Amino acid sequence: MSFPQRRKTVNRSEEVEQAKVVRWSHLPAVRSLMPALRWLHHSPNGGRRDAFTGAQMKALGVKPGFPDLILPARAGDSTGLIIEMKSDTGRASDAQMEWIEHFKDQGWATAIARSASEARTILCEYLGITPDSAPALDA
C-alpha cells in the first residue's frame, strides 16, 4: 500500500503579518490620519499555483520578486514606498533585491519589514506620522 506524498509545509508568517498591516491600514482612524494609505496595494505575484494559473499570470505580466506592498504616494523626496515582507529568518531573493534596487534608482523609498508592527512603523514614518500617534495594529 502506498500513501500519497505530503506537501512541504509552507511558512505563512509573512502573509499573516502582511494581512495584519493591510487590515490596520483600512481602519477609519488610520485612514483619517494617513489618507494616502488608500493607495496601499499588493500585487498577487507570489505563492504556489497550478501550472495553468501560473502560465496565465505570467502571460498577464506577473514578474518574480515584485515587492509585497507598494504605496504609490509621494512623501518628502520619495516617489513612493515599497515594502518587502519577510519572516524573522527569511531573506530577500536575488529577484526581490533586483526590484528593490530598481525602485531605489527610480526615487522610491524601500524597506524590508519582518513584522506587521515594523511595517506599520515604516508606513507611519514615511508619511510623516510618529508611530506613537497612530492607532495600534489591534485597534
Side-chain angles (χ1 to χ4, degrees):
M1 178 181 232
S2 72
F3 294 97
Q5 284 188 329
R6 296 181 74 182
R7 284 189 172 177
K8 185 175 151 182
T9 304
V10 177
N11 182 350
R12 299 282 185 209
S13 66
E14 291 174 22
E15 294 169 0
V16 169
E17 293 299 299
Q18 182 173 320
K20 284 180 191 175
V21 76
V22 169
R23 254 190 327 273
W24 168 82
S25 78
H26 288 280
L27 294 173
V30 173
R31 288 287 173 92
S32 157
L33 187 61
M34 295 174 275
L37 287 180
R38 75 182 288 237
W39 303 112
L40 185 64
H41 173 75
H42 167 74
S43 289
N45 61 316
R48 296 175 189 255
R49 294 180 174 79
D50 61 62
F52 175 80
T53 304
Q56 184 180 37
M57 292 184 78
K58 187 174 182 179
L60 292 173
V62 168
K63 305 265 191 227
F66 194 78
D68 291 316
L69 293 171
I70 186 163
L71 180 61
R74 185 174 294 282
D77 294 333
S78 297
T79 302
L81 169 68
I82 59 118
I83 300 175
E84 181 62 40
M85 298 296 296
K86 288 290 159 206
S87 67
D88 286 337
T89 58
R91 86 168 187 81
S93 69
D94 290 344
Q96 289 167 334
M97 290 307 298
E98 191 174 357
W99 276 108
I100 288 168
E101 289 305 314
H102 171 73
F103 275 100
K104 280 182 186 176
D105 290 345
Q106 302 306 311
W108 287 62
T110 65
I112 295 176
R114 299 197 175 274
S115 68
S117 178
E118 191 174 342
R120 174 191 168 277
T121 297
I122 291 164
L123 287 163
C124 288
E125 290 176 350
Y126 176 75
L127 294 171
I129 303 296
T130 57
D132 290 342
S133 67
L137 279 171
D138 55 6

